[in-house]
Structure formats: C-alpha cells, structure tokens
Amino acid sequence: MFPAIESLAMTFPTLLADKNADFWFPIQGSSFAEEVDWVYDLILYISLAFFVPMMVFMVWCLFKYIKARGTKAESQLSHHTTLELTWSIGPSVLLVWMFVQGSISFLDMRSPPEGSYDIGLQAFKWGWTMDYGNGTFHPELHIVKDEPTKLSMRSTDVIHSVFIPAFRVKKDVVPGRYNYMWFKPTIASEQISAEQLAKLKKQNEGTTWDYDKVHTIETEDGEKEVQVTPEGYTFFDLYCAEYCGTNHSEMQTVVVVHETQADLDAWIKANSSRGEVSMEEWGELLYGRRGCSGCHSVDGSKLVGPTFKDVYGSQHGLTTGENQIVDENYVRESILAPKAKVVAGYQPVMPSYKGQLSDDDIASIIAYLKSISANAPSQPAAAQAEPEAESAE
Amino acid sequence: MSNATLPAGARDPGYPTERENYLTNSSGILSWMFTLDHKRIGMMYLIGVVSAFAIGGLLALAIRLHLLKPDGLLFTGAEGNNIYNQVFTLHGAIMVFLFIIPSIPAALGNFLVPVMLGAKDVGFPRLNLSSFYLWVFGALFFVSALFSSGLDTGWTFYTPYSTTTDTSVILATLGAFILGFSSIFTGLNFIVTINTMRPPGMTWFKMPLFLWATYATSIIQVLATPVLGITLLLLIAERTMHIGIFDPEFNGDPVTYQHFFWFYSHPAVYIMILPAFGIISELISVHSHKHIFGYRFIAYSSIAIALLGFLVWGHHMFTAGMSSLTTIVFSALTFTVSVPSAIKVFNWLATMYRGSISLTTPMCYAISFIFLFTIGGLTGLFLGTLATDLHLHDTYFVVAHFHYVMVGGTLIAFLGGVFHWWPKMVGKLYNETHGRIASLLVFLGFNGTFLPQFVLGSRGMPRRYATYDPEFAFLHQLSTFGALLLGIGLLYAFIVLMVSLAKGRRAPANPWGGVTLEWQCTSPPPYYNFERPPVVGDPYDFHNLEWDAENERYVMTEPERKLVPESTPDEVPAHAGGQE
C-alpha cells in the first residue's frame, strides 16, 4: 500500500479502530485473502496509472489553454485514427488480464477440495444456525485452522447472503436451493483466560453479551483491547449481505477458528446438549442462540412475532378466529409446525424447527417461558412438581 | 440591435420580441397543460424531475444523518429499522424511476432533440404529452405508496422478500409499470423524430453527438422497458395469486426474478448514463471552442454501449449461485462495455488539448464529470473482476461505485446541461461566479460523501444497514459531512438559477459559441423553433464563429458555400422549419 496513505491513516487512529485491519482491508483470515487482495491491489495500481496521468493532463490543459472569450482555438484537429485505435486496443489487453486473473482465483473459490469439513448453515430472518451434526446447533460458526471447510447453505424464508470480510468470501443463501461455499482459515482465534473472562462477565452482569464491545484486559505485556465471544474467543465478523428486511443490519454472527480439530470437537461436545445446566437456563440460552430473540421480545414489545413476556398460560386469538391457551402442547406445536395456529395480527413467517431441537431443548424452552410468565400456574422456583397438575387441566 | 461591431456577413437572429417565443406566445395554465410544444413539455418535465430529485435528495440526507452513529441517530425505537429501510427504498426508487431515468432524455431531450435536429417538433406531439402525464400518474402511485404502508423492498423488489412483505409493493410496482410506458413513449418518439424529421443536409454524421446519445438511449428504452413491465406484472401475479414463478414456497425460483429484473435494469443504467455522455461531448467541444475529437468513435461507441449493455446483466448475480461458466462469461462481457466508455473519456481530453477553453459553469461541470465518471468507471473494474467482486459485492464499495457513475456522472452532466442550455430555455443569463462556486461545492461535497465509502466497502461494511459496527463510525461520519456539503452546493446551484429568472440579463442567441442548430434560433426559441430554416453544417466546425465583444455574444459569419445543386426545391418543406 502507499506509504503516504498509510501515514495518513496513522494520523486518524479512530479510522483503525478495528485493530487487525489495514487501511483498505480487514485482516487476511483465509487462504483466499492474500490472492484477492493482490488482485485488488493490481487493479488499483493499474487504475491509478491511468487515472493520475489523465487528470494531470486535464488540469494541465485547463491552465495551458484557458483563453479570453472569443479567442480561436489553436487547432481544429478532428480525429487521428492511429491514436484512437491505440487507446482503444491498448487498455483492452489489460482488461483481458484482469478478467483472466479474476476468473482463475474465482474458480479456486468455487471448487471445494475433496473431504472438506462440512457444516450446515441455515439462514432465517434474522439469524443463523450452524449444524455441526448429531443434533448440535449453534449460531456461531466454529471451524478449524488450516482445514478446508465447506458450508452447505439454505434459507427458510428470503434471500440472505453469507459474508465473512476477513475471509474475502460471500455467497447468497437462496430459499428453495442449496448454495455452497468453502474457505480455509489461516489464523486461529485466541482465547482469553478463564479468570479474565470471569472478570469481564462480572463487569457486564445483567446485560446481554455485546460482541461488538471492545474490552480492555490486562495481560503480561500490559493492557490489550479485545472483542470476544461469551466463551472468551476472539472472532471474525460474519454479516448478512443481502437485504432481508427489518433486522437485516443486526443479522450478524461470528466465526471462531480453533487451533486443532480436538479443540473444536471439545467445543461441539460442550454445546451439544444441556449437560448440568437447569432447564430454564438452557431454555434462555436457546432463546438467544436459536434466533427466537430476533422476533419474540421478552420485555413486552411487539416485534415480528408475539412477545414471550407473560405469554405462557395466556389466551391467544388465532387468525382462524378461535382462541388458544398457550400451554405446553401449543408451544411445542408452534415450534415444530409454526404455521398451523398463527396468532391474529401476525404473519405466518416463522420457520419450523423440526429436527433441529431435541425434546429436551423444547422442554427447556417451555420451562424458560414459564419462568418469565406471570400467567404461569406456579413459579418455577416454588414448585418443580407442577407439570402434571397443568396437563390434567 | 446594433450591427456596428459585427463582422461582415454575420448572421444573428437577435432577441425575440415579447410575443414571439414559446414561453409567451400563449398564456394561461391550460395553454401549458394541453400544450403539444416539445419545449413546454420539456420544461414541465424539468420541473417534475427536479421536484422528484428534491424529495429523493432529502431522503438521502436523512439516511446519512441517521448513519452518523453506529446505532442510528434519526430513526430510533422499535420501528427504527423499518423506517430506515423504507427511507432508503424510497430514496433509491424515486431517484432511479422518477429522476435519473427521465432527467436527461425526457426533460432536456424533449427540449433539445427537435431544436438541435432543426425540426419543428417531435414526430408524435400528442404521444409526447401523454408520456408526460403517464410520468405524473406513475409518480403519484409512488407517492401514494409512501403514504399508505410504505415500501421496504429496496428499489430492486427482490423476491421472495417483495412477495411476502406487507408494505405497498403493488402500488409501487404499478407506479413503475406506468413510468415504464412513459419511458417507452419518449424513446419511440425520439427514434421516429430522428429517423424521419431531419432537414435537408442533416445526415447521420452531421448530427450533434447529443442526438446520437439520445438515439442510442431510445433504442434501449424501447427494447428493454417492456421486460421490466412484464417482470413487474409477474411479481404482482406472484404476490396476489401465488403463480409460482419466483417464490420458492410455490416452487418458484427467486434467481429467475433477478435475471428478469436486471435484463431491464442493467440496460437502464445506460439509459441513465448515455445521454450524459452526449451532453458532455457538447459541453467539452463548445466550451473549448474546438472540433470534438474523434466524432465517429464517440458516435459508434454510444451504439456499442447500447447493444453491449444488453449482454451484461448477469454481473449483478455473481454471488447468487449461477454456474461457474455463466458467471465467467458474464464477467468477460462486462469488461467489453468498459472499452467504449474509456474511448469517450480519451476523446474528451483530446478535445480540450490545444483548444480555447472558457471556464464557464457548464465547463466546470464537464470537468467534474470527467473526474468523477473516470473514478466510477475504473472502480467498476474491481466489480467486474470475479475474485474481487465476491468480497466487494453488496458492500458500500458498490454503493460508492454506482453513485460515482449515476450521481457523479448523470446528475453532474444534467446540471452541466441545465446550466449550458438555461439561457436558451428561459432567455436569461445567470451569475457565472456564483454558478462556478456552486459547482465547486457540489464537486467537493460529492467526493466527501462517496470517497470514504470505497474504503468502507473494501473493509467489509455491507450496504443497506440501519446500524453498523463501531469500527466503521469514522468513515460514515466523513461521508455524512460530505453529504451535507453536497446538499448545500445543490441548493446553491438551484438558487443561482432561480435568481437569474428574476434578475438575469437577457440572453443572446449564442452566449457560449456553439455551432449546433439550437444556437441559431433566438433565446428562448420561437414557437416553431426557427424563424427561417437553419443552415445545417458540421456541428463542431468553429471556423465561422466570431465573438462580438460589444454585445457579449457569438455570431456566425456566412460560411463558404458551394453552389446550390439544381435539384434543391425552391421552397423549404414545412418539416424543415419553413413556414407553411
């Protein structure tokens, strides 16, 4: 890059708030990044090699040939065929080079190697679910360094687009078909120590975890600024790049790159089931993780879907005109077949979670809904043995 | 008028008297509403598109102000994102359908095409008036969409979002459908006019380049717009009857919609920029007082762009999942369009070389155009190249690129054209100093707005985001301050023109020294454009032009004439501007 531009960039520290980026690009996080940046730089230099002389020539003409009104021009030359053919054909050669170079790199990006690590990706309004197999789903994309990774992508509603700037990749996720993309990450995420994470968690107690927040942590070499996941990993951003409605700009998630396959397997195992956590806590986690929070508030405000606040045990009017008590069976049906009984005043837009949530997951979500509802027959902390009583009603 | 300082043999139509120009030869609102005069229709279009531009521009300022803060400044609260989405959709839709597409062809083209051609009017004056009212009608649909339940699909109406959102998609698409007819009628009229109404001597290669550009534009309008009409009707059918063409829920394919849509909308980009090329060719030549360099190359390149423009639509879908082969073919075709565009820029620069340049307000805009359009064109290379496009697609890089072409190109050329032909249209001269200051503000403001967006895009900021990550805040703020400056510059330019109406000096027939035919009639032109048949010659031959310093105007001296061939009829036919 140009030294002048770089020094200019240094004088604007805020410009470089993203510590890992240079002036033009995010950090080079995949094997494609270097090649794409190289092609970009070459086009940039070729463009400047045309642009600068042309503009210098134009300004020079302005100074040189500005004449008093009424002065005749020095020349009335109307054409010069050789010159015109030269500047028509000459640049074409460079264009052919750009096209060829861009296409070669593109073909690489379109051909996933045999045996790539395959992760399912499902896009919906407005969130992501990655499918790690064996019933493990998570909104964050976790992959392994230097391991070619292939995403098999589908959308349940409208067109979305997966964009990971650090990897220089982008692909639309089109409903009604599978789209694929692949990449090989080259930089592993760091993980801050358990004590530091505990400290950060304490500082942010009572709020939802903000991925964008820059935390200052103390290390052996002094202070360091990091953005981390709730598990303490640094990450790359993953954006939705195809406009998809209300919360398009909030449809973001993160990519965490593990050093080894064993690390990733450990992480998958830790996230595959509820483990020791209580059902309410697990339900709350799933509420955030599986995209419920994009459409259903817990503070009573109306989003795309009905709020979850006090929803359990309340009466809903349906679009069919009937009334429905929100009980276990209704919640379960709404998760697995959301279009069967739609609440009046809302669109039938929710995707089905059939095959994506285990029975334990659904039960946990129900437990969570009960815990935040004043209409629930009993407070969860007070009595654990109530469910039988309810189903008997 | 005094002829004391005129060289021997000078011809100058002088000034029109009170009743003999098109603005005053009849009066009353009805004489405008039912006029068949292409000049009046052009002026009504001008008022219409400028009003649309004002609405679209205010929406743009709202967008930029909102983006001052990462979490959004203007549209906050639960509905904030929805409002932002509607604002950028309407900004795009209004600017594209109501301003950029009709601005030069319908407003300036209607006024200028017959005059530059040496004709009395367009081929079908009634069709011309009806196309204006269709435009008004279509515009009303758009505005009514704004007041009913808004529109939040983006101006591209991508399915299946547009078939499922509960905003006023049908109203807006009907509006666009009607506007399409307006566009087709205008194009059809110009093709017929240019084909059949050229006066004796006006051969194809004696036509000013603005007419070549208009002709090429009209071809696209007539051939491509029907596809948009069909697409929009299918979209409405999909929304109401679920016919299953675009919506995957009914076994449709959303990418089919994109193919249909861009098959119109990419050529439409050339509807927007080709007339601008025409204007710049006129401006550079007239204000350099030099023959345009490479007339034939510029003329042919207009036609080449119009034809190649039909073959490149797929480059909007490089990330959509087309087959690799299709993608590569579209990339190759895309590069072919850049050659004729580059040829034009080289020719303009060569025209300035060894000219006699007057740095008038129109010339300031022409220079801005070359600067901005070259950036717009060169940044297109990054997007045509597949590897870099995957990273830059749907980011602010694209936003910056098309604003450099559409605003830096079309809007600047439109402004240059308006300032160039303003004395001809209204018969008044504006204040040159203020005009130049305004053009400088527009230039600086524009670059301030969109240069930072190239960096935003390559750093990975997606477009159409109501909120964004804090690391992008500084560049967004730069962009917003640029937009405010741009807004001030545009308002300034508008005021300069309005003040000229009240206080401007009377304009001579030929204030700049142009040779094309419109400078041979009075300013403003009479009802039938020419009092006597114009003398058709090379539109860029400046040999016989003399400066009359006392009256501050250019006059034509008698050109060297060859003997009149015997076959020339004694009476000039009516279509050539003769009186019946």
Side-chain angles (χ1 to χ4, degrees):
Chain A
M1 214 43 56
F2 291 114
I5 292 180
E6 215 136 35
S7 65
L8 177 76
M10 298 308 275
T11 57
F12 290 111
T14 44
L15 193 67
L16 294 172
D18 189 0
K19 289 279 180 251
N20 299 320
D22 75 3
F23 181 77
W24 292 109
F25 298 114
I27 191 170
Q28 296 182 335
S30 81
S31 55
F32 300 137
E34 202 172 329
E35 190 164 345
V36 170
D37 292 0
W38 176 77
V39 177
Y40 184 102
D41 282 345
L42 265 161
I43 301 175
L44 181 68
Y45 294 139
I46 291 174
S47 300
L48 286 171
F50 275 88
F51 182 73
V52 172
M54 280 163 72
M55 292 307 120
V56 168
F57 179 77
M58 183 173 81
V59 173
W60 175 79
C61 282
L62 275 183
F63 280 102
K64 173 93 177 167
Y65 299 112
I66 281 204
K67 300 279 165 66
R69 273 195 289 185
T71 315
K72 297 261 182 186
E74 287 173 27
S75 151
Q76 288 293 345
L77 184 70
S78 67
H79 64 281
H80 188 295
T81 311
T82 320
L83 183 63
E84 288 178 79
L85 284 175
T86 313
W87 73 39
S88 308
I89 297 165
S92 309
V93 178
L94 288 170
L95 293 179
V96 169
W97 175 84
M98 275 179 213
F99 159 68
V100 170
Q101 192 57 53
S103 303
I104 292 171
S105 308
F106 170 76
L107 280 176
D108 286 349
M109 297 162 91
R110 281 294 276 266
S111 325
E114 288 279 318
S116 299
Y117 186 69
D118 200 332
I119 295 176
L121 177 149
Q122 185 190 307
F124 55 92
K125 286 185 202 164
W126 290 275
W128 311 91
T129 300
M130 313 298 166
D131 180 354
Y132 295 93
N134 298 325
T136 308
F137 299 91
H138 200 277
E140 294 173 6
L141 179 58
H142 284 248
I143 50 183
V144 183
K145 187 185 162 198
D146 293 330
E147 175 80 29
T149 305
K150 180 180 159 196
L151 297 183
S152 306
M153 313 188 295
R154 66 195 182 103
S155 164
T156 54
D157 39 43
V158 300
I159 304 176
H160 302 278
S161 184
V162 173
F163 176 31
I164 310 173
F167 293 179
R168 312 288 189 274
V169 291
K170 185 179 292 118
K171 189 67 170 258
D172 292 359
V173 188
V174 181
R177 64 161 80 173
Y178 281 90
N179 268 353
Y180 303 94
M181 73 178 193
W182 83 280
F183 41 77
K184 192 168 89 178
T186 52
I187 300 176
S189 299
E190 294 165 30
Q191 193 175 16
I192 61 173
S193 68
E195 305 90 73
Q196 283 165 336
L197 185 62
K199 221 162 148 189
L200 291 185
K201 289 231 156 142
K202 202 160 178 211
Q203 283 168 14
N204 295 289
E205 219 167 6
T207 57
T208 49
W209 187 260
D210 185 357
Y211 286 86
D212 285 333
K213 190 168 175 184
V214 179
H215 306 280
T216 311
I217 56 167
E218 286 176 19
T219 61
E220 289 151 15
D221 332 316
E223 290 193 337
K224 199 168 122 185
E225 292 190 325
V226 288
Q227 292 176 317
V228 290
T229 69
E231 291 163 306
Y233 292 104
T234 60
F235 57 81
F236 302 113
D237 289 309
L238 187 156
Y239 299 120
C240 175
E242 184 67 66
Y243 172 70
C244 58
T246 308
N247 286 341
H248 170 52
S249 56
E250 270 121 62
M251 189 169 162
Q252 306 180 8
T253 184
V254 297
V255 183
V256 174
V257 182
H258 292 267
E259 196 71 55
T260 62
Q261 185 71 44
D263 280 355
L264 177 62
D265 291 342
W267 178 84
I268 290 176
K269 194 158 180 239
N271 283 279
S272 61
S273 66
R274 182 156 64 86
E276 300 301 309
V277 197
S278 76
M279 288 184 102
E280 289 82 20
E281 263 182 82
W282 182 246
E284 185 175 6
L285 214 66
L286 290 175
Y287 164 78
R289 233 181 227 185
R290 302 307 306 278
C292 316
S293 55
C295 302
H296 302 278
S297 75
V298 286
D299 60 1
S301 55
K302 184 182 170 176
L303 300 177
V304 176
T307 180
F308 281 172
K309 189 186 181 195
D310 298 337
V311 76
Y312 191 89
S314 66
Q315 284 264 356
H316 269 336
L318 302 181
T319 44
T320 53
E322 293 161 33
N323 277 332
Q324 172 73 44
I325 292 180
V326 181
D327 57 10
E328 280 101 338
N329 279 322
Y330 179 64
V331 172
R332 185 184 160 83
E333 184 181 23
S334 298
I335 291 172
L336 299 179
K339 282 168 192 166
K341 290 177 186 165
V342 179
V343 179
Y346 295 92
Q347 297 291 318
V349 290
M350 176 162 158
S352 164
Y353 282 81
K354 201 168 183 174
Q356 297 194 33
L357 292 171
S358 66
D359 274 354
D360 185 61
D361 290 343
I362 295 176
S364 301
I365 289 172
I366 294 172
Y368 170 59
L369 291 185
K370 282 183 191 169
S371 74
I372 56 168
S373 174
N375 299 323
S378 60
Q379 291 304 312
Q384 293 286 344
E386 287 313 289
E388 282 90 350
E390 275 159 39
S391 53
E393 263 175 46
Chain B
M1 72 187 189
S2 120
N3 282 326
T5 57
L6 288 188
R11 290 177 292 117
D12 184 82
Y15 297 104
T17 60
E18 194 57 31
R19 302 280 313 161
E20 68 189 6
N21 73 64
Y22 80 100
L23 290 169
T24 51
N25 75 328
S26 59
S27 59
I29 183 87
L30 290 181
S31 78
W32 279 82
M33 283 179 66
F34 294 109
T35 184
L36 297 179
D37 181 8
H38 68 97
K39 298 184 288 299
R40 285 193 167 187
I41 294 170
M43 291 306 276
M44 291 196 290
Y45 257 123
L46 189 65
I47 295 167
V49 297
V50 168
S51 316
F53 178 75
I55 298 172
L58 288 174
L59 292 170
L61 278 181
I63 292 171
R64 285 301 343 154
L65 284 175
H66 176 75
L67 294 174
L68 263 179
K69 275 173 61 188
D71 289 332
L73 184 69
L74 277 193
F75 316 116
T76 49
E79 284 294 298
N81 286 356
N82 279 332
I83 298 173
Y84 177 86
N85 294 341
Q86 294 187 10
V87 168
F88 84 67
T89 298
L90 283 166
H91 162 71
I94 287 178
M95 285 301 198
V96 169
F97 292 116
L98 293 181
F99 176 69
I100 303 187
I101 289 180
S103 62
I104 300 178
L108 292 179
N110 252 322
F111 194 99
L112 292 167
V113 167
V115 194
M116 289 177 105
L117 201 62
K120 272 201 312 199
D121 205 323
V122 291
F124 304 121
R126 283 183 180 79
L127 190 70
N128 200 16
L129 185 66
S130 71
S131 84
F132 172 71
Y133 283 112
L134 280 175
W135 182 87
V136 173
F137 200 43
L140 288 178
F141 268 83
F142 260 99
V143 177
S144 59
L146 192 150
F147 284 112
S148 53
S149 49
L151 179 69
D152 72 341
T153 58
W155 77 275
T156 50
F157 304 113
Y158 268 18
T159 53
Y161 189 77
S162 58
T163 54
T164 51
T165 173
D166 49 4
T167 52
S168 321
V169 175
I170 294 183
L171 267 183
T173 43
L174 275 179
F177 184 77
I178 295 166
L179 290 169
F181 270 97
S182 166
S183 190
I184 294 170
F185 287 174
T186 305
L188 196 66
N189 224 334
F190 288 165
I191 290 177
V192 171
T193 307
I194 292 173
N195 272 339
T196 63
M197 295 181 72
R198 281 171 289 132
M202 177 67 86
T203 59
W204 283 94
F205 290 105
K206 288 263 186 320
M207 279 198 334
L209 288 166
F210 180 70
L211 295 185
W212 272 99
T214 314
Y215 195 78
T217 310
S218 303
I219 292 173
I220 308 178
Q221 284 179 304
V222 171
L223 293 183
T225 318
V227 181
L228 177 75
I230 293 163
T231 311
L232 294 178
L233 286 187
L234 284 176
L235 176 62
I236 293 173
E238 183 75 288
R239 230 183 118 83
T240 52
M241 296 180 275
H242 306 308
I243 53 174
I245 291 188
F246 303 136
D247 193 338
E249 198 170 337
F250 311 103
N251 284 331
D253 181 6
V255 180
T256 306
Y257 174 84
Q258 298 182 17
H259 280 286
F260 277 10
F261 180 81
W262 288 113
F263 187 82
Y264 163 77
S265 292
H266 197 80
V269 169
Y270 298 108
I271 298 180
M272 307 175 203
I273 193 69
L274 270 174
F277 290 155
I279 288 184
I280 297 304
S281 300
E282 302 298 326
L283 260 50
I284 294 281
S285 165
V286 169
H287 296 274
S288 302
H289 300 99
K290 183 164 164 252
H291 197 290
I292 189 86
F293 188 86
Y295 175 92
R296 279 180 188 243
F297 269 70
I298 299 183
Y300 287 138
S301 67
S302 288
I303 302 295
I305 290 173
L307 299 180
L308 291 172
F310 278 99
L311 307 177
V312 302
W313 77 89
H315 69 214
H316 295 270
M317 288 123 71
F318 284 167
T319 64
M322 295 187 299
S323 77
S324 297
L325 180 66
T326 319
T327 313
I328 287 172
V329 168
F330 274 120
S331 170
L333 288 169
T334 300
F335 278 105
T336 60
V337 188
S338 54
V339 178
S341 313
I343 290 174
K344 287 180 191 271
V345 178
F346 292 136
N347 277 304
W348 293 326
L349 292 179
T351 304
M352 287 170 67
Y353 178 67
R354 300 184 71 191
S356 165
I357 298 172
S358 310
L359 198 60
T360 54
T361 309
M363 190 63 177
C364 289
Y365 282 112
I367 295 162
S368 300
F369 177 95
I370 294 182
F371 186 91
L372 302 176
F373 177 74
T374 308
I375 294 182
L378 289 171
T379 49
L381 300 175
F382 295 82
L383 299 171
T385 306
L386 286 173
T388 42
D389 179 72
L390 289 196
H391 176 60
L392 299 171
H393 198 91
D394 270 326
T395 67
Y396 264 77
F397 192 96
V398 177
V399 176
H401 161 72
F402 74 69
H403 279 90
Y404 261 88
V405 179
M406 298 288 94
V407 184
T410 312
L411 174 70
I412 298 285
F414 174 73
L415 285 171
V418 167
F419 275 89
H420 183 69
W421 284 293
W422 187 255
K424 183 57 65 184
M425 293 191 285
V426 303
K428 293 291 176 77
L429 294 174
Y430 48 83
N431 184 309
E432 272 288 343
T433 315
H434 287 294
R436 276 176 251 177
I437 294 172
S439 74
L440 183 69
L441 291 181
V442 169
F443 177 78
L444 294 177
F446 178 81
N447 283 298
T449 311
F450 294 106
L451 269 183
Q453 295 188 3
F454 284 119
V455 186
L456 270 177
S458 62
R459 285 163 63 100
M461 168 79 209
R463 69 194 186 123
R464 294 177 165 177
Y465 264 28
T467 59
Y468 54 86
D469 287 355
E471 68 236 35
F472 300 119
F474 177 72
L475 289 164
H476 269 299
Q477 285 157 6
L478 276 187
S479 180
T480 300
F481 295 131
L484 289 173
L485 185 62
L486 177 59
I488 291 170
L490 289 168
L491 185 66
Y492 196 162
F494 182 74
I495 291 171
V496 169
L497 292 179
M498 289 305 106
V499 168
S500 82
L501 285 182
K503 296 189 177 168
R505 274 194 305 126
R506 211 171 173 194
N510 193 352
W512 314 119
V515 192
T516 42
L517 297 186
E518 79 272 26
W519 305 112
Q520 290 190 24
C521 62
T522 56
S523 304
Y527 185 64
Y528 282 122
N529 299 344
F530 298 97
E531 294 292 343
R532 60 184 70 83
V535 182
V536 179
D538 183 338
Y540 301 103
D541 179 5
F542 291 86
H543 283 105
N544 301 309
L545 209 60
E546 296 294 336
W547 171 243
D548 171 9
E550 188 181 331
N551 296 305
E552 296 200 10
R553 62 182 173 177
Y554 286 86
V555 289
M556 289 288 277
T557 55
E558 208 59 43
E560 287 175 39
R561 300 279 194 98
K562 298 187 186 96
L563 282 176
V564 181
E566 280 178 11
S567 59
T568 306
D570 290 332
E571 287 176 22
V572 180
H575 72 259
Q579 304 283 342
E580 276 170 297

